[in-house]
Amino acid sequence: MTALVYLEQTDGAVDEPSLQAATMASSLGGGAEVHAVVAADTAALAPAGQLPVDAVQVAVHEAFGSYAPLAVAEAVVELAGRLGATCVVGPGTERGNEVLAHVAALLDLPLAANCVAVAVADARVTRVRWGGSLLEEARVDAPTLLLTVQPHAVAAEPGAGDPPSVETFTPTLSDAALALRVVERVGAATGGVSLADARVVVSGGRGAGSEEGFAPIEELAELLEAAVGCSRAVTMAGWRPHTDQVGQTGTKIAPEIYIACGISGATQHMAGCKGAKRILAINADREAPILQSADYAVIGDLHEVVPAISAAIRAARSG
Ligand SMILES: Cc1cc2nc3c(=O)[nH]c(=O)nc-3n(C[C@H](O)[C@H](O)[C@H](O)COP(=O)(O)OP(=O)(O)OC[C@H]3O[C@@H](n4cnc5c(N)ncnc54)[C@H](O)[C@@H]3O)c2cc1C
């Protein structure tokens, strides 16, 4: 059996989730030969040093100077076909999942994303669903097992013995694949406090009512030196950028306190803030689901409650 693992790297250093994916691929058993593939715009970016794989193939193409998910997938599919790989593994990062989803679409096969355990002999996987609230056991019915590895499901191991052999190849890429790539990066306007690292996060949901409705939330955040977050209902409405979104498809946060204003507490939102040590919910509805997870709650209109909290903080500081 041959397994192929797709590795993401930054400046020639393989990223941690990819090392974890390679470690899982190397533990598949059955005498599996494990090949790794990286995409780079120059052969000089071949990963150096120990890796838990037998061989590394560097797909070299100028398109890989920026993120080009379909092009990477085409390179992975080409190599998997040449190697006769019966298992293709990737990291369960946003990009790893995207690339493997393209691989699955190109091969017309199912993808088991975010796996924490794999028994390759009978194609059984255990994978994370519902933003981490459910572990699903599934059997994958496919000639080639495609999966991504949930970050931190296994500890990365460097690999024993000699470093793997390294070869390069030039993949054949379609015009459509070359059209899909990152052409510009715009830095996030975070206002100084990073959402992922903030000790306090003040978040607004649909209950804020509008873009302008975030003014009291921003004011409270400034007083508390907090980051401003929001729910997906807010980013979908265009009131805040996606970089502010907390949740399963946003940022995962772990502040000392999370102040959720006008947020109902959908599973996908809670997946992003369950690391918070304390949750204060401000909600007009005493039946809102978030109250089941909240340590403190204020039932009321956030447009009255939030300015009142800010005023109380100011009064306490000046007195
Ligand atoms: C695949 C998938 C991924 C998703 N990923 C995410 C994600 O990453 N993050 C995320 O947040 N969501 C995510 N969602 C969406 C999620 O299911 C919810 O739809 C979303 O979280 C709801 O946002 P909300 O709580 O702001 O809005 P609502 O559910 O509409 O809740 C609004 C709340 O505001 C309260 N309210 C209204 N007016 C006031 C007021 N004046 N004062 C006080 N309270 C008031 C209401 O009582 C209500 O509880 C995802 C969904 C899917 C299907």
Side-chain angles (χ1 to χ4, degrees):
M1 184 189 116
T2 300
L4 177 62
V5 56
Y6 163 60
L7 304 180
E8 295 174 304
Q9 61 174 1
T10 308
D11 298 330
V14 176
D15 295 350
E16 190 68 15
S18 289
L19 286 174
Q20 294 162 6
T23 302
M24 187 181 273
S26 71
S27 68
L28 291 176
E33 189 171 302
V34 182
H35 289 248
V37 57
V38 296
D41 59 346
T42 156
L45 283 178
Q50 290 287 9
L51 286 171
V53 299
D54 300 300
V56 175
Q57 303 266 1
V58 187
V60 181
H61 196 287
E62 60 181 7
F64 300 145
S66 66
Y67 178 56
L70 181 53
V72 175
E74 287 190 349
V76 172
V77 168
E78 180 182 320
L79 183 60
R82 191 148 27 93
L83 294 171
T86 49
C87 181
V88 181
V89 183
T93 57
E94 283 186 15
R95 289 185 170 189
N97 280 328
E98 185 177 19
V99 167
L100 266 286
H102 280 299
V103 169
L106 289 168
L107 295 174
D108 198 18
L109 291 175
L111 166 66
N114 304 319
C115 296
V116 296
V118 183
V120 82
D122 57 357
R124 280 188 192 280
V125 297
T126 307
R127 61 184 186 141
V128 175
R129 303 292 308 270
W130 292 84
S133 57
L134 177 75
L135 282 181
E136 177 194 73
E137 289 195 3
R139 188 164 179 181
V140 183
D141 183 12
T144 305
L145 183 58
L146 304 181
L147 57 96
T148 61
V149 178
Q150 172 78 1
H152 310 297
V154 296
E157 285 169 17
D162 296 333
S165 61
V166 178
E167 291 177 12
T168 60
F169 72 105
T170 306
T172 306
L173 303 178
S174 69
D175 290 345
L178 295 173
L180 183 63
R181 62 195 173 89
V182 172
V183 293
E184 187 188 1
R185 290 173 195 276
V186 180
T190 60
V193 187
S194 144
L195 188 57
D197 305 326
R199 283 184 56 252
V200 181
V201 175
V202 188
S203 231
R206 203 194 308 270
S210 65
E211 186 176 341
E212 296 71 34
F214 270 78
I217 291 167
E218 285 183 339
E219 184 190 15
L220 179 59
E222 196 177 328
L223 278 171
L224 297 174
E225 295 181 9
V228 174
C230 69
S231 69
R232 180 152 121 168
V234 167
T235 54
M236 296 290 277
W239 300 344
R240 307 285 301 185
H242 181 261
T243 45
D244 283 3
Q245 185 179 313
V246 172
Q248 180 183 330
T249 47
T251 301
K252 312 269 188 302
I253 59 171
E256 294 293 319
I257 183 156
Y258 181 52
I259 305 176
C261 313
I263 292 175
S264 61
T267 316
Q268 297 90 350
H269 185 82
M270 301 314 290
C273 63
K274 64 186 175 194
K277 295 206 174 53
R278 293 273 186 278
I279 295 178
L280 162 60
I282 299 169
N283 201 296
D285 178 7
R286 64 175 62 249
E287 303 293 325
I290 196 166
L291 297 189
Q292 291 170 14
S293 312
D295 300 277
Y296 316 101
V298 180
I299 307 301
D301 183 344
L302 72 90
H303 299 291
E304 294 171 10
V305 176
V306 176
I309 295 173
S310 296
I313 292 171
R314 278 207 192 85
R317 287 182 183 167
S318 65

